[in-house]
Amino acid sequence: MAVAGLRLLSHLQRLVPTLDENPAPDIVTSLAAFTDPRDPWTRPEASETASALLVDLLRCGQTTTPKFLSKMLASLLQDIVRPRFAKTKNSAITEQGRKANYRLPDAVDFGDSEVEMKQWKFRDVPILTVFRWILGQLDETTIQEHWPLVIPPLLAILDDEAIDNKIKGCEMLITLLNITPSLLLQKTGLGEVFQDALIPYLSYLPSLTSEEQSISLLDAVYPTLLLLLRARYPGPDSTAEKTAVLDQMVRMGILDGFSHAGEYVKIATVLMNRLSDLVNEMGIMSVKHLKDLLPLISDVLSAPFGPAHPPLMLAATVALQAIILNDWPRVGRYQAEILKGLVLCWYTMNEDACESYEVDNVKIAVQQDIRLLRESVRTKIVEQLDMDQLLHDDHQLSDLLKTVNQCA
């Protein structure tokens, strides 16, 4: 039915294009509600048709009306979006979309049910897709004009208890951060508010959260937090503040995550992948975590079940590469720990029943790690193991040594 209606609108658009000069907000809202093909009420064809119609509407309106886009977005935010979120209050911000200096506990209204308090969640669910589309139309200029209308709905979505809405909130926040000047975040204090909303997501782990939901949320929140930190701390003068938050993410997200949910292989894989991102973002400042991270990575690489879960092994080798490349001045003292993990991983990956494309990728990564380790300790004046002698002493490691020497 939706596809048929959109096709009819598309035909009308071609026959009577002048109707686009001042499209009613309800028409734009109806079309925007079908722009996300992931929604259960939308099909890819409907999404493509709705998006194309909206492009035509915007193009026609901008050629006939000054500041058409800004006026239309203001109307949608004020008249369509805001009423749906009006009863979802957040004491962390003011009505102007700034951080509240004195935060009071959120008031509890016993007169309205949750359905009444969160119309956007229970009655008008497509409004989330409309709001996402509106965010996609904003730029560095229009976001400043509409800031007070954008922030309350976004924080309401981020603070909602439903995991799916938290993920949508992360996606929307990424869209917002990509168009928001760093100075605006600093002036309004919203960077800290967003950070306080996102950091607890790192603890949404099994068994309190389902494994699949936890994976989706972790994959959403880590990139969002990193983008937020780059926006909050764009220059070298704020390196210490940025590093402090990254330290918190390593401790609370990675180390505590493995402590509480490390037995879930898919969760461990996600955490290893995100560890690589954090180390690369921190650079040499990640050196303070080596004493905790390297034994953790070595234990993962040494696990006898490695061939059954190549993605985890590959993620661990990539995380180790990030550590060696960023923290090479201090890696030498941990050489024995690193070699233990890499050598045992090489053993398990070379078992007779372990032939696959994924296993081959892990072997290549192990060879790369060994080569990087050799280069990092070659010029270090420290008491170290003789790597060549270690590898020569065991004939099963001859292929590893041969490949590494050829690439050296």
Side-chain angles (χ1 to χ4, degrees):
M1 184 66 70
V3 175
L6 289 168
R7 286 175 179 169
L8 178 59
L9 282 175
S10 182
H11 288 306
L12 289 174
Q13 159 72 12
R14 289 193 292 270
L15 292 172
V16 195
T18 56
L19 293 177
D20 294 341
E21 295 179 2
N22 291 289
D26 288 343
I27 295 177
V28 178
T29 301
S30 298
L31 291 174
F34 289 94
T35 52
D36 191 341
R38 296 172 296 179
D39 290 330
W41 58 84
T42 307
R43 291 166 50 186
E45 182 184 354
S47 176
E48 293 175 6
T49 304
S51 298
L53 283 168
L54 285 168
V55 169
D56 288 340
L57 286 172
L58 295 181
R59 182 172 58 247
C60 184
Q62 288 172 321
T63 58
T64 59
T65 307
K67 293 188 176 181
F68 166 80
L69 179 61
S70 181
K71 293 178 181 178
M72 185 192 69
L73 295 178
S75 176
L76 292 174
L77 288 168
Q78 181 70 43
D79 302 329
I80 304 298
V81 176
R82 187 176 184 178
R84 273 76 172 180
F85 288 86
K87 293 186 178 182
T88 308
K89 303 293 185 180
N90 191 317
S91 60
I93 57 173
T94 67
E95 292 183 359
Q96 292 74 37
R98 294 175 174 269
K99 178 187 175 183
N101 291 327
Y102 302 98
R103 180 171 183 175
L104 298 175
D106 292 325
V108 179
D109 190 345
F110 294 100
D112 290 325
S113 66
E114 188 178 13
V115 175
E116 291 294 331
M117 297 287 289
K118 297 183 177 181
Q119 296 182 32
W120 56 271
K121 180 178 179 180
F122 296 102
R123 288 184 176 175
D124 299 306
V125 179
I127 201 66
L128 296 182
T129 304
V130 175
F131 183 59
R132 185 204 301 270
W133 178 83
I134 293 172
L135 287 176
Q137 309 311 308
L138 297 170
D139 56 27
E140 289 190 9
T141 300
T142 52
I143 185 58
Q144 299 183 61
E145 297 173 2
H146 306 309
W147 187 260
L149 294 172
V150 168
I151 298 305
L154 179 55
L155 278 174
I157 298 167
L158 285 169
D159 288 341
D160 190 62
E161 64 273 8
I163 301 296
D164 288 345
N165 286 335
K166 292 182 183 296
I167 295 171
K168 291 178 181 178
C170 287
E171 296 172 351
M172 295 176 189
L173 181 53
I174 286 177
T175 302
L176 178 73
L177 292 172
N178 283 327
I179 58 173
T180 301
S182 295
L183 184 59
L184 181 58
L185 277 181
Q186 296 171 11
K187 287 169 56 179
T188 59
L190 263 294
E192 183 179 353
V193 175
F194 287 136
Q195 179 182 308
D196 291 343
L198 292 175
I199 285 292
Y201 291 10
L202 303 178
S203 300
Y204 279 68
L205 299 166
S207 58
L208 296 179
T209 305
S210 73
E211 185 176 13
E212 292 305 318
Q213 284 189 319
S214 179
I215 290 171
S216 298
L217 184 58
L218 292 175
D219 277 336
V221 70
Y222 276 96
T224 308
L225 272 169
L226 289 178
L227 184 59
L228 175 62
L229 292 179
R230 295 182 197 122
R232 284 192 71 191
Y233 308 113
D237 295 339
S238 52
T239 299
E241 293 90 341
K242 179 180 178 181
T243 300
V245 182
L246 291 169
D247 288 338
Q248 183 182 11
M249 292 175 66
V250 171
R251 291 191 299 267
M252 181 178 173
I254 306 301
L255 297 175
D256 288 353
F258 266 96
S259 175
H260 292 96
E263 68 273 16
Y264 294 86
V265 176
K266 292 181 180 179
I267 297 292
T269 304
V270 170
L271 294 177
M272 274 296 170
N273 284 325
R274 297 310 169 187
L275 175 59
S276 301
D277 298 335
L278 290 175
V279 170
N280 287 326
E281 191 72 27
M282 298 178 76
I284 189 62
M285 302 305 293
S286 62
V287 72
K288 70 187 74 171
H289 299 292
L290 291 187
K291 65 182 186 301
D292 298 312
L293 292 178
L294 287 176
L296 173 63
I297 294 174
S298 180
D299 287 345
V300 171
L301 291 172
S302 305
F305 62 76
H309 304 286
L312 175 57
M313 298 296 106
L314 185 60
T317 58
V318 172
L320 184 55
Q321 287 176 22
I323 288 176
I324 296 174
L325 289 171
N326 287 281
D327 302 319
W328 61 268
R330 297 291 184 88
V331 163
R333 67 179 62 183
Y334 299 97
Q335 181 178 328
E337 186 77 48
I338 296 172
L339 279 174
K340 181 193 78 171
L342 290 173
V343 168
L344 290 176
C345 181
W346 182 262
Y347 270 125
T348 57
M349 291 297 163
N350 278 280
E351 294 177 358
D352 293 339
C354 300
E355 293 297 331
S356 72
Y357 176 76
E358 289 182 316
V359 168
D360 289 341
N361 285 337
V362 175
K363 293 179 184 179
I364 293 172
V366 169
Q367 293 166 349
Q368 292 171 341
D369 283 359
I370 290 286
R371 186 164 64 252
L372 286 174
L373 181 61
R374 290 185 62 181
E375 292 298 322
S376 70
V377 302
R378 178 171 292 179
T379 59
K380 307 308 294 180
I381 307 175
V382 294
E383 191 70 26
Q384 57 179 296
L385 298 174
D386 186 340
M387 294 177 61
D388 289 348
Q389 186 62 43
L390 170 69
L391 298 175
H392 268 306
D393 288 344
D394 193 327
H395 70 277
Q396 294 189 48
L397 300 176
S398 58
D399 289 341
L400 176 59
L401 177 61
K402 180 179 178 181
T403 305
V404 170
N405 283 334
Q406 288 175 347
C407 297

